[in-house]
Amino acid sequence: MSSDLIIDVSPSEIVIALLENKRLVELGREKSGAKFAVGDIYLGKVKKIMPSLNAAFIDVGYEKDAFLHYLDLGPQFSTLSKFLRLVSSRKNKITSISRIQPEPDINKDGVAAGLLKVGQKVLVQIAKEPISTKGPRLTSELSIAGRNLVLMPFSDKVSVSQKIKSNEEKTRLKNLVQSIRPKRYGVIVRTAAEDKKVAELDQEIKRLLEKWESTFIKLGRMNPPGLVLGEMDRATALIRDIYHPNFSNIIVNDAAIAEEIALYLESIDPEKRKIVKLYKGRQPIFEHYNIDKQIKTSFGKTVSFKNGAYLIIEHTEAFHVIDVNSGNRAKSGMDQEASALDVNLAACDEIARQLRLRDMGGIIVIDFIDMNQAPNRHKVFEYMKEVMAADRTKHNILPLSKFCLMQITRQRVRPEEHIETAEVCPICKGSGKVVPTVLHADEINNKVTYILKDLNKLKLTLKAHPFVVAYLTKGWRSPRNKWFLKYFKWVRVRVNPALSLLEYQFLDENKEEIIL
């Protein structure tokens, strides 16, 4: 299976699309300068203790206070607090946490009020990004993630990914890491570390250790709230988490981001640097790789998947509901039970893709087409586990009930990706009436005049329907040539098939839309 990563970089955001065999399976976007991403470490201040919840609300600089439960403090919270006091003191210059005498682990059945007080400084990490009306979810069990390993300050545990199947390899990695890990640090061995040599793992541990210890001086000078250690940008972080040798291409439309990714890839797999490519086409990158069309067909309430069968996806505050429908699909020679099994198995593929694509989390209830035979229900359950194996997000799948209902729980750490595909008509604004078509050319001309003359834009790009573009550019007396002769500025006119006949967009020199 070939995997391609397409990255669309614009001034306002970065959009990342993962294609498997040219099929869109993951989509993520990050606003430029976005904060409070999973993995970011903050110095916060306790704002309020909630005894009834055995938790505290922490000010980390977000508009709503973040939530820190007692169970997320971690066994070594007392040692972490001692470290924070020492590193904040001008008398002490901490260069290594190995010199700090560890405190006893906190009581598992303790209360937050016994360890936290209002106004106290706390070192925390984002465990869940802000979702809906909720602020970030925090943890004090700090971790610094790398490609093969995760370094955990103040811990002494070494654990190995359960996705590594070989017991011999698990034992080898555990013994190897035990011999090279620094004192007072725990390590989680990731799946990517399988078959890796000691030199490579030792080098990564040193990089992660240097990254963590570089924050000590910063912590001593900082007042809460403030960012202590930021996670790498989303594009590079995604590559760190999902990269595998079968990656065919990583295509980026921004030279700086492409170079950053290439340098990171070179550090983990030098031979693969060549798969990073800079896109220089005139067509938008997502349009060129047919991603825009896949987005339009993959999001929305109704999703077709095979021979007329389709899913209906509903979202509620408590959970997500997916209904499987056969539509007008029928195969001659198949009875109802066999037909239902065939549709349900095909639905599993699309459901697994939709969960990754939309990053749906929490409880998902799937209503499959009724099957009377228990072996068939078991086949669907086993196949769903098989197709969900590629999902990196933690999940749990329960067997089908006799009513053919399946329940899946999937960890949610970021807001669900939601794209509205049913649009209000941009021309009639939902009224059902449009301006006279004969006035359309005059409307475009007036806006071009305003942008070039009054706003004094030096560069302007106009995107429109192919028919409109043909009218604006055809012949030496075309409107575009007239604009050039009048204002001595060249207007780039580009086709955007996604726009309706009377819809158009203006972009400035930074490729940002000009809203008039």
Side-chain angles (χ1 to χ4, degrees), residues 345-358:
L345 291 174
C348 290
D349 287 304
E350 184 61 29
I351 290 169
R353 173 176 173 254
Q354 287 291 326
L355 296 186
R356 292 175 66 188
L357 188 58
R358 303 185 188 215

Side-chain angles (χ1 to χ4, degrees), residues 224-277:
L227 177 65
V228 176
L229 186 62
E231 182 57 291
M232 62 179 65
D233 68 81
R234 186 67 58 86
T236 312
L238 182 64
I239 292 170
R240 179 194 68 194
D241 294 338
I242 70 173
Y243 172 77
H244 55 78
N246 291 333
F247 256 54
S248 303
N249 299 288
I250 299 173
I251 304 167
V252 194
N253 63 350
D254 181 271
I257 299 293
E259 180 63 19
E260 183 180 332
I261 293 172
L263 288 173
Y264 175 75
L265 208 57
E266 188 175 36
S267 69
I268 62 172
D269 194 349
E271 294 182 359
K272 285 291 185 176
R273 177 180 175 133
K274 61 186 178 183
I275 71 172
V276 181
K277 299 172 184 176

